[in-house]
Structures are given as structure tokens and as C-alpha cells.
Amino acid sequence: MEINKVGIIGLGALGTMYGKLFTDKLGKDSVFIMANSSRIEKYKKEGVYSNNKLCDFSYVNTEDKGEPFDLVIFAVKYNALPKAIEDAKNYIGDKTIILSVLNGITSEEVIGEVYGKEKMLYCTVQGMDAVKIKNKLTYYNIGSITFGEKDNSMSEKVKALSKLLDKVNIPYEIPDNIMNKLWSKLMLNTGVNQAVAVFETNYGGVQKEGKPREVMIGAMKEVFEIAKKENIIMEDNEIEKWLKILDTLNKEAKPSLRQDTEAKRKTEVDLFGGTIIKLGKKHKIETPYNDFLYNKIKEIEESYSN
């Protein structure tokens, strides 16, 4: 199994960053941005920029039937995922590998229900500082991709993707247990994304002692307890390890959910608090911190129209 042609659906921060990195290394004949005709027209008219350089992308119209790609990367916001799944259908075949770089632990299951879970590789991304404002992306660190099969087997899909990432010089990790990694990242995001948004602050606001940090840690602890019920066993010091990493970040920077509320965009809160609240009810575990954060963010979203 070899990956020769790559399709990327979604030109947000990650889609643009990976699109440029892949295109620069593999060439325009091997990497394609998947979009409908109106979006393609907009991208070509306005241009898409990465670190002030115009991206010379190849596009495929999702309304047309084409040859299936070897790898399709979903890089949309969660609320756009159902439409992206529908749009990708003309370019996903029996042997297509599917990778989702969305936050949370649910997108692989959602995509797999439509196209077959045997096509999915489970994935989480971290360490990048990409921010996209309108058609301009800025980043300093490309971060890394952590991926694997749900059963942690060293499959042909895993080998093919690792070979591709070696070729394009994107750091990656194939962990012993990918689901633990996904849950650990969910725990971080559930705390920091929601708390920074609700308290209208930045990373600096949760790096110091106070209500925002207290609530952030409380939300993370709820994820930790629910993970146990889902047979995900994280290390006892998992939260402390994330706090040490968090405390090194640029205090003026902000996570994605806070960027969304500032821009009055619909957020991905259902990936974070929404997921944990549902699982809390399933396992009869109370989630007061996530209840508080989730409801506050929904109130913020509702205020956009006022």
C-alpha cells in the first residue's frame, strides 16, 4: 500500500498548513484541495496565503466524480463535518485511507459509520500554533501528528502514512495506545478551550492561580474520571504533565474556541463539554464544571444575534 495522491477537505488553519506542506514536497499533481465550485472560485479569486506566501494549490470539484484518492484528510470544523462527509464521497474508494485532524474523540466514528471504519486511522495533532484570519495563515511550529489503528496494530495503512510523513518531513508518533492519546488531548482541550473562552482571557489567564485555572482543572478532572469508565486508563499525573506544558505557552495566545467566540463564530463546544456531559450521564457521573462551561459557551453563542 502506497499513498501517491492526497485530498484535503477544509481550508482552515490545519487544512491550509498541511496543504502547503504536502504540495511543496509532493507537487501539485499529488495533492488536491477538495471543495465545491463556489468555494474553489473564491479561493482562486482571493488567494490563500501561508506565512505571507501565496499557496499554489490544485483543486478538485467535489460535485464531479473523480478517481479515489489514496489518502483523504478531513480538516474542517466539527459543525461542518456532516457536509464534508457528503462532499467527499466522489473521491473515497475501497482502498482510501481516511485521517481526521479534528479535535475530540468522535469524528473518526462519525466518518467511519459512513465510509467504513476499516478505512480510518485514529489521530490527534498537537504542538502547532497555526492561526488563520480570513485567507491568511500564520504559524511558526508545524507540531506533530499522532496516529494509529484503533487496535494499535502496525497495519499497512499505518506503514503507508508513516512513509508519507517521512517524505514531507512532518513529525509524527505511532503510540502504543492511540485511544489513550486521544482522550488525553480531549482532557486538555475540554479544560483549556472552554475555560479561556468563558472567562474571556488567554493562556496567561489560566497559567496563574485563580478562578479560570481552578475551573479548567476541575473540567479536566471530570474527563479523567469518565475516561476510566470508558476503559481508558491515563497516568495519575496526566493532568500535571499538561499543566506544565500549558504553563510554557505564549501567555498572549488563545486556543481555537476562544478565537471562535471573539470572531462570533459557532464553536466546537459539543466536542468538548457536550461529549463529557453525555458520557457523564451514561456513567452516572456528575459533571458540574463541564455543565457550567458548556452552558456559558452556549449563552455566548446565543448572544451573537443580539
Side-chain angles (χ1 to χ4, degrees):
M1 180 177 283
E2 191 167 354
I3 299 171
N4 294 309
K5 288 200 172 183
V6 178
I8 299 173
I9 187 159
L11 267 188
L14 291 181
T16 301
M17 184 180 77
Y18 289 134
K20 182 73 162 58
L21 292 169
F22 276 65
T23 300
D24 286 350
K25 293 291 184 178
L26 304 177
K28 290 181 63 177
D29 293 336
S30 297
V31 183
F32 299 86
I33 305 302
M34 305 162 66
N36 60 33
S37 55
S38 61
R39 280 189 177 273
I40 292 172
E41 185 178 345
K42 178 185 177 183
Y43 295 147
K44 288 183 175 180
K45 181 180 178 181
E46 298 179 357
V48 179
Y49 294 84
S50 176
N51 286 343
N52 297 317
K53 293 182 179 179
L54 180 65
C55 298
D56 187 18
F57 288 143
S58 293
Y59 296 95
V60 292
N61 190 338
T62 52
E63 297 155 1
D64 299 333
K65 182 68 177 175
E67 288 293 318
F69 292 123
D70 301 314
L71 171 68
V72 169
I73 299 174
F74 282 83
V76 297
K77 287 283 190 179
Y78 186 69
N79 49 45
L81 183 58
K83 182 68 164 59
I85 292 172
E86 171 66 19
D87 287 348
K89 64 183 179 183
N90 286 330
Y91 293 91
I92 293 179
D94 292 340
K95 297 182 179 179
T96 301
I97 299 169
I98 302 176
L99 191 74
S100 167
V101 295
L102 277 71
N103 284 317
I105 57 170
T106 58
S107 64
E108 286 89 355
E109 298 295 329
V110 174
I111 299 168
E113 285 292 337
V114 177
Y115 291 116
K117 294 181 181 179
E118 73 282 355
K119 294 183 176 64
M120 303 301 305
L121 284 176
Y122 285 69
C123 165
T124 182
V125 297
Q126 58 274 319
M128 63 286 300
D129 53 10
V131 176
K132 189 164 183 257
I133 301 175
K134 295 185 178 179
N135 62 336
K136 293 181 173 64
L137 169 74
T138 303
Y139 71 91
Y140 297 96
N141 301 303
I142 64 173
S144 63
I145 300 176
T146 300
F147 68 94
E149 294 279 8
K150 191 173 186 179
D151 65 1
N152 302 306
S153 63
M154 187 57 66
S155 67
E156 291 303 312
K157 300 203 301 293
V158 170
K159 293 175 183 176
L161 182 57
S162 62
K163 184 177 178 181
L164 178 72
L165 295 178
D166 283 334
K167 193 180 296 185
V168 298
N169 294 327
I170 294 177
Y172 65 89
E173 177 191 4
I174 304 169
D176 293 334
N177 192 315
I178 184 62
M179 296 308 295
N180 277 25
K181 292 288 187 179
L182 263 66
W183 268 89
S184 181
K185 182 71 181 298
L186 172 67
M187 182 175 68
L188 170 70
N189 281 334
T190 297
V192 69
N193 269 271
Q194 295 185 128
V196 171
V198 166
F199 291 99
E200 299 181 341
T201 184
N202 48 29
Y203 286 128
V206 293
Q207 288 170 342
K208 59 188 178 183
E209 295 301 323
K211 188 73 170 178
R213 187 176 178 91
E214 174 191 328
V215 172
M216 175 187 72
I217 294 172
M220 293 173 74
K221 287 180 177 178
E222 290 173 359
V223 178
F224 188 89
E225 291 305 315
I226 288 171
K228 292 179 185 177
K229 296 294 186 180
E230 291 284 308
N231 297 315
I232 303 295
I233 307 301
M234 290 183 273
E235 296 179 19
D236 290 339
N237 65 341
E238 197 85 8
I239 293 176
E240 286 73 20
K241 287 194 297 184
W242 277 124
L243 292 177
K244 287 180 181 178
I245 294 170
L246 179 62
D247 290 345
T248 67
L249 299 179
N250 177 0
K251 64 175 62 178
E252 300 300 326
K254 300 168 185 176
S256 59
L257 199 148
R258 174 60 175 148
Q259 294 174 38
D260 287 340
T261 57
E262 285 189 314
K264 299 187 184 303
R265 293 189 294 257
K266 186 171 175 59
T267 74
E268 294 184 309
V269 68
D270 288 299
L271 277 177
F272 305 132
T275 297
I276 297 309
I277 291 167
K278 286 178 183 175
L279 289 173
K281 291 176 179 176
K282 171 185 170 183
H283 295 294
K284 295 182 172 57
I285 295 175
E286 293 186 357
T287 54
Y289 286 102
N290 277 286
D291 291 345
F292 166 74
L293 292 167
Y294 180 85
N295 290 331
K296 284 293 185 183
I297 292 167
K298 286 298 183 181
E299 287 177 14
I300 292 170
E301 291 182 348
E302 289 171 7
S303 73
Y304 296 164
S305 57
N306 297 336

